[in-house]
């Protein structure tokens, strides 16, 4: 996990990785100073095109924007979707560990 803090204290950008169905999924996720997700982008993956590969679509990643607690998926979600939720929740834990540094 790599973290980048905004110089103005506005938030943190985290580069994370989670295990998907067919290998690692690398992603970026931003949190504002209060812990709400401001954006997410999948950087790389080897998931099945048209199924698990949908994790990189704007429709999927936009579902996380504004979330402030643990995220989960509904029944019937793909392994890739569940993996992304795990990655997002791990990134949130990393954010929580350093969020006090934002005001410094």
């Amino acid at each position: 996990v790599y973290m980048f803090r905004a110089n103005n204290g506005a938030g943190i950008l985290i580069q994370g990785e989670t295990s998907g169905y067919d290998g690692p999924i690398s992603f970026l996720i931003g949190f504002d100073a209060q812990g709400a997700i401001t954006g997410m982008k999948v950087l790389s993956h080897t998931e099945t095109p048209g199924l698990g590969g949908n994790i990189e679509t704007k429709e999927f990643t936009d579902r996380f924007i504004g979330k402030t607690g643990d995220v989960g998926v509904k029944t019937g979600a793909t392994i890739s979707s569940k993996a992304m939720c795990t990655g997002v929740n791990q990134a949130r834990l990393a954010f929580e560990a350093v969020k006090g540094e934002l005001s410094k």
Side-chain angles (χ1 to χ4, degrees), residues 19-97:
S19 296
Y21 173 75
D22 195 30
I25 300 169
S26 178
F27 63 95
L28 289 174
I29 187 164
F31 293 93
D32 67 17
Q34 290 73 43
I37 296 171
T38 58
M40 187 172 84
K41 178 163 180 61
V42 174
L43 300 175
S44 65
H45 69 86
T46 54
E47 303 302 282
T48 307
L51 187 60
N54 289 336
I55 59 170
E56 67 183 336
T57 66
K58 184 171 173 31
E59 180 182 32
F60 179 80
T61 59
D62 280 357
R63 293 179 190 178
F64 294 91
I65 294 176
K67 302 289 185 193
T68 56
D70 281 351
V71 296
V73 290
K74 296 179 181 177
T75 304
T78 67
I79 293 170
S80 307
S81 299
K82 292 175 186 174
M84 282 306 307
C85 288
T86 297
V88 168
N89 289 330
Q90 290 171 341
R92 177 173 306 288
L93 289 175
F95 168 81
E96 292 293 330

